[in-house]
Amino acid sequence: MLIRAALVATAFALTATSPALAALKVGDKAPDFKVEAATNGETHAFSLKSALKQGPVIVYFYPKAFTGGCSLEARQFSENMDKFAAKKISVVGLSADDVPTLKKFSKADCGGKFPVGSDKGARIAEKYDAKMPAVPMSGRVSYIIGKDGKIAFVHDSGNAATHVPSLLAAADSLK
């Protein structure tokens, strides 16, 4: 148990200072996924394929709900949802947190404005090259996925404060 805690602490320290090892590239096909998600404390199924029918989707991976950087990032998304919605872009956050935790996080830090999905074991993060090494958790990587299902933009940084501003700027250049 102590070794696992040390590994998790080390993984958090690494993601705070360095990018993930190899995010998917612009033009790559985004892996489809379905997850149990929470929005404003209510659970529901989230399907990337269904969401893309409405327009581009930001899929952002974060390590753990209710931690400093993850809470900051979720609040920034919440505060800027009107800007993304004006560009017809939806948002979903993914972490390895369980659904009861995400129900609380979706209300508290996400302001009830977008879904957060449970990626148990970081299996989806692994498909997106966003999984931390050695632990079943996501690193901090954000993608804009075009309506065509292809990666349109990638922001791969351990600095939580840079994701939303970078995604907003990229959204301005989407066709």
mmCIF file of all heavy atoms in Angstrom, residues 3 15 50 53 63-64 86 89-90 104 107-108 116-117 122 126 128 134 141 170-172:
data_model
loop_
_atom_site.group_PDB
_atom_site.id
_atom_site.type_symbol
_atom_site.label_atom_id
_atom_site.label_comp_id
_atom_site.label_asym_id
_atom_site.label_seq_id
_atom_site.Cartn_x
_atom_site.Cartn_y
_atom_site.Cartn_z
ATOM 1 N N ILE A 3 3.927 1.496 -1.108
ATOM 2 C CA ILE A 3 4.612 1.597 -2.402
ATOM 3 C C ILE A 3 3.678 2.201 -3.442
ATOM 4 O O ILE A 3 4.062 3.075 -4.214
ATOM 5 C CB ILE A 3 5.126 0.212 -2.855
ATOM 6 C CG1 ILE A 3 6.258 -0.239 -1.926
ATOM 7 C CG2 ILE A 3 5.608 0.259 -4.291
ATOM 8 C CD1 ILE A 3 6.707 -1.657 -2.147
ATOM 9 N N THR A 15 3.620 14.645 -13.741
ATOM 10 C CA THR A 15 2.645 15.302 -14.613
ATOM 11 C C THR A 15 2.564 16.790 -14.343
ATOM 12 O O THR A 15 2.142 17.550 -15.200
ATOM 13 C CB THR A 15 1.231 14.700 -14.493
ATOM 14 O OG1 THR A 15 0.795 14.834 -13.160
ATOM 15 C CG2 THR A 15 1.200 13.278 -14.959
ATOM 16 N N SER A 50 -21.778 9.712 -30.542
ATOM 17 C CA SER A 50 -23.021 10.485 -30.473
ATOM 18 C C SER A 50 -22.736 11.975 -30.322
ATOM 19 O O SER A 50 -23.390 12.806 -30.946
ATOM 20 C CB SER A 50 -23.882 10.015 -29.309
ATOM 21 O OG SER A 50 -24.329 8.708 -29.548
ATOM 22 N N LYS A 53 -21.859 13.964 -33.471
ATOM 23 C CA LYS A 53 -22.956 14.294 -34.383
ATOM 24 C C LYS A 53 -23.399 15.746 -34.208
ATOM 25 O O LYS A 53 -23.961 16.342 -35.116
ATOM 26 C CB LYS A 53 -24.142 13.351 -34.158
ATOM 27 C CG LYS A 53 -23.850 11.929 -34.592
ATOM 28 C CD LYS A 53 -25.004 11.012 -34.282
ATOM 29 C CE LYS A 53 -24.647 9.581 -34.667
ATOM 30 N NZ LYS A 53 -25.678 8.625 -34.280
ATOM 31 N N PRO A 63 -5.601 13.770 -14.208
ATOM 32 C CA PRO A 63 -5.247 12.673 -13.301
ATOM 33 C C PRO A 63 -6.263 12.319 -12.220
ATOM 34 O O PRO A 63 -6.625 11.155 -12.088
ATOM 35 C CB PRO A 63 -3.939 13.144 -12.655
ATOM 36 C CG PRO A 63 -3.379 14.145 -13.603
ATOM 37 C CD PRO A 63 -4.573 14.811 -14.227
ATOM 38 N N LYS A 64 -6.738 13.304 -11.438
ATOM 39 C CA LYS A 64 -7.568 12.944 -10.286
ATOM 40 C C LYS A 64 -8.428 14.119 -9.840
ATOM 41 O O LYS A 64 -7.923 15.210 -9.601
ATOM 42 C CB LYS A 64 -6.673 12.490 -9.128
ATOM 43 C CG LYS A 64 -7.444 11.932 -7.957
ATOM 44 C CD LYS A 64 -6.586 10.973 -7.164
ATOM 45 C CE LYS A 64 -7.346 10.320 -6.031
ATOM 46 N NZ LYS A 64 -8.523 9.581 -6.417
ATOM 47 N N ALA A 86 -20.580 28.510 -28.088
ATOM 48 C CA ALA A 86 -20.788 29.442 -29.198
ATOM 49 C C ALA A 86 -20.103 28.948 -30.471
ATOM 50 O O ALA A 86 -20.522 29.284 -31.575
ATOM 51 C CB ALA A 86 -20.271 30.833 -28.821
ATOM 52 N N ILE A 89 -18.787 23.566 -29.830
ATOM 53 C CA ILE A 89 -17.850 22.569 -29.326
ATOM 54 C C ILE A 89 -18.321 22.122 -27.941
ATOM 55 O O ILE A 89 -18.579 22.950 -27.080
ATOM 56 C CB ILE A 89 -16.419 23.154 -29.227
ATOM 57 C CG1 ILE A 89 -15.922 23.570 -30.610
ATOM 58 C CG2 ILE A 89 -15.470 22.140 -28.587
ATOM 59 C CD1 ILE A 89 -14.591 24.300 -30.591
ATOM 60 N N SER A 90 -18.436 20.810 -27.769
ATOM 61 C CA SER A 90 -18.776 20.283 -26.448
ATOM 62 C C SER A 90 -17.500 19.786 -25.760
ATOM 63 O O SER A 90 -16.450 19.656 -26.389
ATOM 64 C CB SER A 90 -19.825 19.168 -26.556
ATOM 65 O OG SER A 90 -19.334 18.103 -27.335
ATOM 66 N N LYS A 104 -19.823 14.106 -7.529
ATOM 67 C CA LYS A 104 -19.515 15.261 -6.681
ATOM 68 C C LYS A 104 -18.692 16.301 -7.438
ATOM 69 O O LYS A 104 -18.961 17.497 -7.375
ATOM 70 C CB LYS A 104 -18.767 14.807 -5.423
ATOM 71 C CG LYS A 104 -19.590 13.934 -4.506
ATOM 72 C CD LYS A 104 -18.735 13.380 -3.377
ATOM 73 C CE LYS A 104 -19.484 12.290 -2.635
ATOM 74 N NZ LYS A 104 -18.597 11.493 -1.797
ATOM 75 N N LYS A 107 -20.503 18.564 -9.969
ATOM 76 C CA LYS A 107 -21.251 19.685 -9.371
ATOM 77 C C LYS A 107 -20.303 20.743 -8.825
ATOM 78 O O LYS A 107 -20.469 21.929 -9.098
ATOM 79 C CB LYS A 107 -22.141 19.190 -8.233
ATOM 80 C CG LYS A 107 -23.381 18.476 -8.690
ATOM 81 C CD LYS A 107 -24.227 18.060 -7.522
ATOM 82 C CE LYS A 107 -25.224 19.160 -7.249
ATOM 83 N NZ LYS A 107 -26.328 18.734 -6.392
ATOM 84 N N ALA A 108 -19.327 20.307 -8.062
ATOM 85 C CA ALA A 108 -18.463 21.242 -7.337
ATOM 86 C C ALA A 108 -17.527 22.009 -8.278
ATOM 87 O O ALA A 108 -17.635 23.229 -8.390
ATOM 88 C CB ALA A 108 -17.655 20.485 -6.280
ATOM 89 N N VAL A 116 -18.144 14.616 -16.928
ATOM 90 C CA VAL A 116 -16.861 13.993 -16.632
ATOM 91 C C VAL A 116 -17.110 12.493 -16.558
ATOM 92 O O VAL A 116 -18.057 12.041 -15.914
ATOM 93 C CB VAL A 116 -16.228 14.537 -15.336
ATOM 94 C CG1 VAL A 116 -15.611 15.904 -15.586
ATOM 95 C CG2 VAL A 116 -17.211 14.624 -14.186
ATOM 96 N N GLY A 117 -16.272 11.734 -17.268
ATOM 97 C CA GLY A 117 -16.491 10.300 -17.394
ATOM 98 C C GLY A 117 -15.464 9.482 -16.651
ATOM 99 O O GLY A 117 -14.317 9.902 -16.471
ATOM 100 N N ALA A 122 -7.756 3.562 -16.702
ATOM 101 C CA ALA A 122 -7.167 4.430 -17.744
ATOM 102 C C ALA A 122 -7.049 3.731 -19.090
ATOM 103 O O ALA A 122 -6.121 3.973 -19.862
ATOM 104 C CB ALA A 122 -5.815 4.985 -17.273
ATOM 105 N N GLU A 126 -5.127 5.191 -22.344
ATOM 106 C CA GLU A 126 -4.067 4.432 -23.016
ATOM 107 C C GLU A 126 -4.239 4.485 -24.536
ATOM 108 O O GLU A 126 -3.277 4.678 -25.273
ATOM 109 C CB GLU A 126 -4.067 2.994 -22.515
ATOM 110 C CG GLU A 126 -2.867 2.216 -22.978
ATOM 111 C CD GLU A 126 -2.670 0.926 -22.194
ATOM 112 O OE1 GLU A 126 -3.568 0.491 -21.455
ATOM 113 O OE2 GLU A 126 -1.583 0.357 -22.338
ATOM 114 N N TYR A 128 -5.497 6.832 -26.181
ATOM 115 C CA TYR A 128 -5.205 8.211 -26.589
ATOM 116 C C TYR A 128 -3.768 8.620 -26.249
ATOM 117 O O TYR A 128 -3.421 9.794 -26.341
ATOM 118 C CB TYR A 128 -6.179 9.180 -25.906
ATOM 119 C CG TYR A 128 -7.492 9.311 -26.611
ATOM 120 C CD1 TYR A 128 -8.489 8.356 -26.458
ATOM 121 C CD2 TYR A 128 -7.758 10.401 -27.443
ATOM 122 C CE1 TYR A 128 -9.708 8.485 -27.104
ATOM 123 C CE2 TYR A 128 -8.967 10.533 -28.094
ATOM 124 C CZ TYR A 128 -9.937 9.570 -27.926
ATOM 125 O OH TYR A 128 -11.149 9.697 -28.571
ATOM 126 N N ALA A 134 3.287 3.426 -15.432
ATOM 127 C CA ALA A 134 3.373 2.693 -14.160
ATOM 128 C C ALA A 134 2.143 2.774 -13.257
ATOM 129 O O ALA A 134 2.069 2.036 -12.292
ATOM 130 C CB ALA A 134 4.612 3.121 -13.356
ATOM 131 N N VAL A 141 -3.697 15.671 -20.858
ATOM 132 C CA VAL A 141 -3.656 15.878 -22.304
ATOM 133 C C VAL A 141 -5.062 16.260 -22.757
ATOM 134 O O VAL A 141 -6.040 15.652 -22.327
ATOM 135 C CB VAL A 141 -3.214 14.603 -23.066
ATOM 136 C CG1 VAL A 141 -3.128 14.865 -24.558
ATOM 137 C CG2 VAL A 141 -1.880 14.074 -22.535
ATOM 138 N N ALA A 170 -7.218 27.580 -30.185
ATOM 139 C CA ALA A 170 -7.311 26.605 -31.276
ATOM 140 C C ALA A 170 -8.720 26.554 -31.841
ATOM 141 O O ALA A 170 -8.905 26.403 -33.054
ATOM 142 C CB ALA A 170 -6.887 25.224 -30.779
ATOM 143 N N ALA A 171 -9.727 26.690 -30.985
ATOM 144 C CA ALA A 171 -11.118 26.646 -31.443
ATOM 145 C C ALA A 171 -11.407 27.786 -32.420
ATOM 146 O O ALA A 171 -12.208 27.611 -33.346
ATOM 147 C CB ALA A 171 -12.060 26.720 -30.251
ATOM 148 N N ASP A 172 -10.742 28.916 -32.240
ATOM 149 C CA ASP A 172 -10.929 30.042 -33.154
ATOM 150 C C ASP A 172 -10.451 29.733 -34.567
ATOM 151 O O ASP A 172 -10.925 30.309 -35.528
ATOM 152 C CB ASP A 172 -10.197 31.292 -32.642
ATOM 153 C CG ASP A 172 -10.898 31.917 -31.446
ATOM 154 O OD1 ASP A 172 -12.116 31.694 -31.278
ATOM 155 O OD2 ASP A 172 -10.218 32.629 -30.693
#
